[in-house]
């Protein structure tokens, strides 16, 4: 798919600011994703596919888990993001990771994988059933599918006592929903894995929380990446105030209330092909 086609349909777009947001988000989510993959048995020497790899953070995390004798292939349908991911992996000195441009449901067949992983990708598939079925075909018997997606309730509920943050959370959630993203992935994953012939998946839900400014920044970053969608879906956001001061006001609101913030929860599902 061309990059133009990608940016017009993918709700978070393909700006440099969005790519930088993904790197910062990856730092917040890294321990949670690592734990899911370790629980799923992803480790030394494996050949792993990372779907919707973005700027490459999950692929690089997995590259460290599988070590130099393992192999990681990252795929994404945004040509520009693939170029960024390649440059970052080279800079990180990880020769065992490669990247290719592909639609997630149309990945060219190759030698089967020991594991297929993905973070925050299946929520964007209009129909995740056929995508998961196509992925299962690319796993060897005994191979594992391990996916981590968004669980929205904690973000909405754990910001309810903070008016500004709660308003941003609500607008973010509405922008995802109106753009067609799947907002109940915790249920979709459990069902879709089984419909694709996998055993009922092992599930976990973890919620990144904290009082440091990274959490306010995460809300601000995501809100800014979604501005074109807020406009597109006529979601008025004037009451959020000046965007130049939004991040600082989100931080100040939490520190005045002596409270912490939450991101989306991360729902993990993993299952092994019989
Ligand atoms: C929220 S980002 C997550 C990136 C990465 N997995 C991470 O957690 O840092 C979602 C990624 O999925 C990609 N994507 C969305 N729809 C896709 C599709 N149909 N096929 C392939 N990639 C897709 C986007 O280009 C974007 O890079």
């Amino acid at each position: 798919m061309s990059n133009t086609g990608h940016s017009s349909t993918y709700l978070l777009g393909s700006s440099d600011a969005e790519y930088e947001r993904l790197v910062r988000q990856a730092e917040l989510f890294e321990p949670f994703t690592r734990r899911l993959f370790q629980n799923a048995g992803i480790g030394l020497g494996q050949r792993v596919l990372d779907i919707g790899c973005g700027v490459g953070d999950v692929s690089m995390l997995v590259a460290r888990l599988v070590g130099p004798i393992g192999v990681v292939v990252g795929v994404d349908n945004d040509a520009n993001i693939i170029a960024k991911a390649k440059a970052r992996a080279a800079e990180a000195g990880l020769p065992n990771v490669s990247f290719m441009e592909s639609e997630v449901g149309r990945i060219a067949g190759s030698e089967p994988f020991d594991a297929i992983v993905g973070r925050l990708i299946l929520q964007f598939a209009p129909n995740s059933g056929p995508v998961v079925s196509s992925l299962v075909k690319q796993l060897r018997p005994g191979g594992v599918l391990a996916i981590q997606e968004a669980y929205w309730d904690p973000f909405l509920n754990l910001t309810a006592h903070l008016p500004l943050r709660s308003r941003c959370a609500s607008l973010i959630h509405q922008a995802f929903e109106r753009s067609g993203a799947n907002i109940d992935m915790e249920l979709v994953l459990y069902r879709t894995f089984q419909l694709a012939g996998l055993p009922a998946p092992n599930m976990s839900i973890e919620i990144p929380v904290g009082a440091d400014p990274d959490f306010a920044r995460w809300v601000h970053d995501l809100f800014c990446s979604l501005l074109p969608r807020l406009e597109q879906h006529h979601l008025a956001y004037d009451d959020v105030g000046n965007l130049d001061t939004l991040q600082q006001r989100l931080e100040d609101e939490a520190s005045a209330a002596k409270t912490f913030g939450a991101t989306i929860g991360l729902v993990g599902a993993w299952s092994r092909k019989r």
Side-chain angles (χ1 to χ4, degrees):
M1 180 185 267
S2 75
N3 191 48
T4 315
H6 174 275
S7 53
S8 62
T9 54
Y10 172 55
L11 78 119
L12 289 163
S14 50
S15 63
D16 285 345
E18 168 59 13
Y19 296 167
E20 285 157 23
R21 185 193 75 80
L22 283 175
V23 173
R24 286 193 288 275
Q25 175 174 268
E27 279 169 25
L28 273 180
F29 291 173
E30 199 264 2
F32 303 90
T33 305
R34 173 188 298 277
R35 197 155 36 243
L36 171 68
F37 293 168
Q38 286 174 328
N39 288 343
I42 292 166
L44 284 182
Q46 291 181 349
R47 181 178 145 73
V48 183
L49 174 69
D50 172 26
I51 56 165
C53 63
V55 285
D57 292 280
V58 170
S59 302
M60 292 192 279
L61 187 169
V62 174
R64 294 185 175 104
L65 290 178
V66 301
I69 53 163
V71 169
V72 183
V73 180
V75 300
D76 201 286
N77 66 356
D78 174 354
N80 289 345
I81 221 167
I82 288 292
K84 290 261 180 217
K86 282 182 181 167
R88 292 182 73 225
E91 200 180 323
L94 292 168
N96 57 336
V97 196
S98 63
F99 295 95
M100 64 180 192
E101 185 186 349
S102 172
E103 268 297 313
V104 72
R106 291 191 227 126
I107 298 167
S110 64
E111 199 186 319
F113 291 96
D114 299 307
I116 299 180
V117 302
R119 181 174 70 191
L120 303 174
I121 165 67
L122 289 183
Q123 62 184 328
F124 303 116
N127 186 354
S128 53
V131 174
V132 172
S133 295
S134 72
L135 295 174
V136 171
K137 289 194 186 107
Q138 304 217 22
L139 273 178
R140 68 161 172 79
V144 74
L145 179 65
I147 302 290
Q148 195 166 49
E149 293 288 337
Y151 175 50
W152 285 92
D153 289 8
F155 181 39
L156 300 170
N157 294 337
L158 292 172
T159 54
H161 58 301
L162 296 168
L164 178 60
R165 200 174 293 218
S166 177
R167 177 71 181 135
C168 291
S170 168
L171 285 164
I172 289 169
H173 183 246
Q174 288 178 73
F176 267 73
E177 187 173 25
R178 293 205 194 170
S179 304
N182 205 315
I183 50 162
D184 59 358
M185 287 305 295
E186 64 282 7
L187 304 176
V188 170
L189 287 176
Y190 193 72
R191 193 172 58 237
T192 309
F193 272 46
Q194 294 178 77
L195 290 174
L198 293 171
N202 301 276
M203 304 287 296
S204 64
I205 292 180
E206 292 197 274
I207 307 163
V209 294
D212 67 69
D214 291 348
F215 285 82
R217 179 155 203 182
W218 181 84
V219 177
H220 166 268
D221 282 356
L222 187 53
F223 190 83
C224 290
S225 280
L226 288 167
L227 289 175
R229 299 298 150 235
L230 297 179
E231 305 279 353
Q232 179 188 349
H233 297 298
H234 310 291
L235 291 163
Y237 58 90
D238 309 7
D239 54 334
V240 162
N242 184 347
L243 296 181
D244 293 339
T245 59
L246 176 60
Q247 187 180 329
Q248 189 61 54
R249 287 182 290 120
L250 287 166
E251 275 180 40
D252 294 347
E253 182 186 52
S255 38
K258 300 221 173 328
T259 191
F260 59 84
T263 65
I264 46 168
L266 294 168
V267 54
W270 67 268
S271 192
R272 206 167 278 289
K273 185 173 174 178
R274 292 188 190 97

